[in-house]
Amino acid sequence: MSDVTQSATLAAPRSVRGQQWLQHVSLLIIMLVLAVFAWLSPIFLTVMNLGNVLQQTAVVGTLALGLTLVLSGGGLQGITGGIDLSIAANLGLSAAVFASQLNAGQPIAIALLLTLLTGAAVGLFNALAIVWLGILPLLATLTSMNIAIGLEMVLTSNASVSASSDLQNLLLSNGPLAVSWLGWSFLLLAFGVIALSRLTSFGLRLQAVGSHPQAANAAGIGVKRYQGLSYVLCGVSAAIAAIASVSLLSGSSPGANDNLLMVIAAALLGVVFSRRLVPTLGGALISALFLSLIANGFQLINVSSYWINGVEGVLILLVVALTALLRRRQSRRTQGV
């Protein structure tokens, strides 16, 4: 066996061991955190409390799924390749549209349609700016974030808008296992999106576009079209999350952009559950639930929920640093081969 072959053979197991180490440590941390909360609060792992956590995860979890689609289309360098900082502001604008329409007495079908169109329009704006005009994702989505915040303030005068409908009542009513239909709807949406990404040509091509854009383009896959569509779908996810938010809050209220850090954390933490160290939809779902459990645990043990921002920041820093380190090691071994 030649030296080149031996180097390649040794590099692959080391790379796999590094990824497995990251995944095992992450799972261990999750289990330890849950065990501590369960020890400090007897009701933490009850069915009622877990159902409440699932319901509370619906908004951030839906946003994290949409953001993960953009990160998937952006490739291994997610932050520079594809990011949507406007997703939480899009949620606020879409929620304002939904609540305002219901408050004005519009039929639920009209309110839903306008909400989905609002979310999709913000996503389409991002797609045009980033994919076809070539503006940096951070700059383009930062701009659309401020536009969405401004439009929300104009629409609501920076005040809460109350809303009620049969749909909201249905979503908050209990389903199987005393879990609200909103919680079950979120799980159904999450599993549906995961299946879409893994079992359909669209999902597989989007992953190919993110991982190997030049090869995908050579194979006849419209790279720009798929990247642009990921931003539009991200916008639609913000609209769906807005419907969930209005149901939970009985209306819209300013400050939706405060969810941005938690959404980014959930999407990026999904990296640790991927063999290729890239954001995944399944990982985003697990991470969103984990972050919601942390917030819930803090509430049960009477610790200020503001601490969750610090926890999210530390987790993002650790995951980004560790994945960057592992990727550099993989790159050096590959170059050494």
Side-chain angles (χ1 to χ4, degrees):
M1 182 181 295
S2 66
D3 292 339
V4 173
T5 305
Q6 288 178 345
S7 299
T9 304
L10 292 174
R14 288 176 181 173
S15 174
V16 172
R17 284 198 298 269
Q19 296 170 17
Q20 291 177 341
W21 173 83
L22 179 60
Q23 293 171 354
H24 292 162
V25 170
S26 302
L27 291 174
L28 179 61
I29 291 175
I30 291 175
M31 293 175 64
L32 287 175
V33 170
L34 298 184
V36 170
F37 282 136
W39 177 60
L40 294 175
S41 176
I43 68 173
F44 179 69
L45 293 181
T46 61
V47 174
M48 180 177 296
N49 186 61
L50 293 178
N52 180 57
V53 170
L54 180 60
Q55 175 179 281
Q56 296 298 326
T57 309
V59 175
V60 171
T62 302
L63 294 177
L65 293 174
L67 181 58
T68 302
L69 288 176
V70 171
L71 293 172
S72 297
L76 295 178
Q77 302 298 327
I79 297 299
T80 57
I83 189 70
D84 186 358
L85 297 180
S86 69
I87 186 169
N90 192 356
L91 159 70
L93 175 60
S94 298
V97 170
F98 187 53
S100 299
Q101 293 302 308
L102 293 178
N103 189 271
Q106 292 289 347
I108 186 65
I110 298 296
L112 288 172
L113 178 60
L114 290 177
T115 302
L116 293 173
L117 288 176
T118 299
V122 176
L124 181 60
F125 176 86
N126 289 331
L128 292 173
I130 296 167
V131 179
W132 280 278
L133 295 182
I135 300 175
L136 289 175
L138 286 173
L139 179 59
T141 57
L142 184 63
T143 301
S144 59
M145 177 184 75
N146 284 280
I147 292 174
I149 292 175
L151 290 176
E152 179 190 359
M153 294 177 66
V154 170
L155 182 61
T156 65
S157 299
N158 200 30
S160 299
V161 178
S162 61
S164 62
S165 65
D166 293 337
L167 175 61
Q168 294 168 256
N169 296 332
L170 174 62
L171 289 175
L172 295 181
S173 62
N174 285 339
L177 301 176
V179 177
S180 70
W181 285 111
L182 177 58
W184 287 116
S185 298
F186 166 61
L187 278 184
L188 181 63
L189 173 67
F191 290 138
V193 174
I194 292 172
L196 176 70
S197 69
R198 294 189 175 185
L199 303 177
T200 66
S201 58
F202 166 77
L204 296 176
R205 288 178 178 178
L206 182 62
Q207 294 179 36
V209 165
S211 301
H212 307 286
Q214 295 180 344
N217 191 50
I221 299 175
V223 173
K224 288 187 176 181
R225 183 170 68 252
Y226 277 87
Q227 289 179 338
L229 186 55
S230 71
Y231 280 98
V232 176
L233 291 176
C234 185
V236 172
S237 75
I240 296 174
I243 297 170
S245 177
V246 170
S247 299
L248 288 170
L249 302 177
S250 298
S252 69
S253 60
N257 203 50
D258 294 341
N259 292 311
L260 181 59
L261 179 60
M262 192 170 184
V263 174
I264 293 176
L268 292 183
L269 288 177
V271 169
V272 303
F273 302 102
S274 167
R275 289 177 296 180
R276 297 187 299 119
L277 297 177
V278 295
T280 63
L281 292 168
L285 173 61
I286 296 173
S287 300
L289 289 170
F290 175 57
L291 292 174
S292 293
L293 284 168
I294 292 178
N296 177 258
F298 281 171
Q299 290 179 334
L300 293 178
I301 63 176
N302 296 320
V303 175
S304 174
S305 60
Y306 292 114
W307 281 96
I308 188 64
N309 292 328
V311 172
E312 291 164 1
V314 171
L315 289 174
I316 291 175
L317 180 62
L318 287 176
V319 169
V320 172
L322 288 173
T323 52
L325 177 62
L326 289 174
R327 286 172 183 168
R328 281 199 299 269
R329 289 183 176 179
Q330 292 176 11
S331 177
R332 289 172 183 172
R333 293 190 185 110
T334 302
Q335 292 175 358
V337 173

